[in-house]
Amino acid sequence: MRQYVIFNVGDYSFGVDILEIVEIIKPNKIVKVPSMPQHVEGIIDVRGTSVPVYNLAKRLEIDSKVESQKIIIVELSKFQLGFLVDDVSEILKIEDDKIEKASESIRGIKRKFIDSIARVGDDMIIILDLKNVLTMEEEENIQEFIKNS
């Protein structure tokens, strides 16, 4: 049994292993950075550290028009990264036998980001693999940006 942070983006419910999350914050001032991809909102200051913020709705190509949002801060390899989500709803303990690898037939959401599907009661929660949200080139660009900021 593992714990997952459950959050919403558009009409979808997602989960991320709680051990991958550093913290969850309300968005403070997001500074726009020129020449960044459309799904990168900008950077925020988290206790003196520049943290790039990805808009998960744009990255996953999901419609979302929520005004109030949260940022989930995760640690990826050598730096922290924020993911802008609509809302964080709960922390759930999910038994391993309720989680199955995502079927190859899943469409509509960028498939490479999906690790598995959890069945909780009548609901299905998409478990994301946040390590796959960045391409190698994006990861290198972020590392270079952070080093120079």
Side-chain angles (χ1 to χ4, degrees):
M1 181 180 302
R2 292 171 29 194
Q3 287 188 319
Y4 293 87
V5 173
I6 309 302
F7 58 91
N8 302 307
V9 178
D11 295 331
Y12 297 91
S13 291
F14 296 99
V16 173
D17 190 314
I18 197 167
L19 297 176
E20 293 182 34
I21 296 177
V22 175
E23 64 183 307
I24 300 167
I25 61 174
K26 291 181 181 177
N28 53 10
K29 184 178 179 187
I30 299 176
V31 177
K32 298 285 186 195
V33 179
S35 303
M36 291 298 243
Q38 179 184 356
H39 55 270
V40 178
E41 290 293 312
I43 58 169
I44 58 173
D45 178 70
V46 179
R47 288 179 290 291
T49 301
S50 295
V51 176
V53 177
Y54 271 57
N55 183 318
L56 206 52
K58 290 178 183 176
R59 184 62 168 163
L60 298 175
E61 299 174 6
I62 296 172
D63 288 332
S64 173
K65 295 180 177 42
V66 173
E67 296 296 320
S68 173
Q69 298 173 312
K70 297 275 193 306
I71 297 176
I72 297 174
I73 308 286
V74 299
E75 189 82 36
L76 292 181
S77 53
K78 301 174 178 109
F79 56 89
Q80 290 185 352
L81 186 64
F83 291 99
L84 193 62
V85 301
D86 293 355
D87 190 29
V88 175
S89 56
E90 62 187 316
I91 296 173
L92 273 181
K93 290 182 180 178
I94 302 175
E95 309 240 355
D96 292 339
D97 64 347
K98 301 290 184 200
I99 299 172
E100 58 190 54
K101 279 293 178 193
S103 165
E104 294 298 324
S105 65
I106 291 178
R107 306 245 184 252
I109 297 174
K110 300 243 179 187
R111 173 70 179 89
K112 69 178 184 171
F113 305 144
I114 300 173
D115 178 67
S116 51
I117 304 292
R119 296 180 187 277
V120 179
D122 292 335
D123 297 328
M124 291 179 62
I125 298 168
I126 301 166
I127 306 297
L128 293 179
D129 184 349
L130 294 178
K131 292 177 224 51
N132 287 335
V133 172
L134 295 179
T135 65
M136 290 298 283
E137 181 181 348
E138 288 173 325
E139 190 170 328
E140 289 168 7
N141 289 343
I142 290 172
Q143 287 178 8
E144 186 67 26
F145 175 78
I146 290 172
K147 188 169 70 172
N148 293 327
S149 63

